[in-house]
Amino acid sequence: MTESAKHPMSQRFRGFLPVVVDVETAGFNPKKDALLEIAAVTLRMADDGRLEPQETHASHVEPFPGVNLDPAALAFNGIDPYHPFRFAKAERDALQLIFQSVRKAVRDNDCTRAVLVGHNPSFDLSFLNAAVNRTGIKRNPLHPFSRFDPA
């Protein structure tokens, strides 16, 4: 495919697809504290070049075995990790759900990888990378260290 035939999104961000990600956690330590919720919004480029939301995928996440659940963090975010109506998924299943949609968006936009965009992207990415390591997921579409904070 020639450069001019590539999707405009891939050209705008050097082959990276920006994906807006937010996580809710049970603390500040990504290796010991639970990832409780994850949401990802893939973006599309409008005809005028502006970015707009395309698809949103979200999942409640079951705490992993031996996890730390900081009571102060749970009081702050108001999440009851064991509430039966959360319909939480195992960490691996929740990540696969999100990653599947991100991989599709990367392909559809002729990009090579996704880059995490968020309010506190280092925090979010650290929890995602720790969960990827815990679950043994091999095909993480998000670049493992690049992130963008639009603030």
Side-chain angles (χ1 to χ4, degrees):
M1 179 177 283
T2 66
E3 279 300 310
S4 61
K6 284 192 170 189
H7 194 284
M9 183 75 89
S10 69
Q11 294 179 0
R12 182 162 177 188
F13 298 104
R14 297 182 187 174
F16 290 99
L17 176 73
V19 177
V20 181
V21 176
D22 188 38
V23 302
E24 295 297 333
T25 68
F28 295 106
N29 185 330
K31 292 182 181 176
K32 295 181 180 178
D33 297 328
L35 172 64
L36 298 175
E37 295 179 1
I38 181 172
V41 179
T42 57
L43 303 174
R44 68 174 159 244
M45 188 177 293
D47 291 339
D48 64 2
R50 289 181 306 127
L51 298 181
E52 56 189 24
Q54 182 171 20
E55 290 186 333
T56 300
H57 296 277
S59 184
H60 297 277
V61 183
E62 294 172 356
F64 60 89
V67 70
N68 180 54
L69 299 170
D70 183 341
L74 297 178
F76 179 78
N77 63 30
I79 297 172
D80 175 355
Y82 299 108
H83 193 286
F85 296 135
R86 286 184 74 228
F87 303 108
K89 297 179 180 350
E91 202 171 47
R92 181 180 181 82
D93 295 339
L95 291 176
Q96 293 286 34
L97 172 75
I98 301 296
F99 290 173
Q100 181 179 19
S101 67
V102 172
R103 278 193 295 272
K104 181 182 182 315
V106 166
R107 281 190 312 273
D108 291 350
N109 287 283
D110 297 321
C111 292
T112 56
R113 200 90 188 249
V115 63
L116 187 146
V117 176
H119 175 65
N120 188 352
S122 294
F123 179 84
D124 295 338
L125 189 59
S126 70
F127 270 86
L128 279 179
N129 286 338
V132 164
N133 288 337
R134 265 192 305 277
T135 60
I137 291 176
K138 300 291 185 213
R139 294 185 58 226
N140 180 354
L142 292 164
H143 196 283
F145 55 84
S146 292
R147 68 253 181 238
F148 180 71
D149 187 342

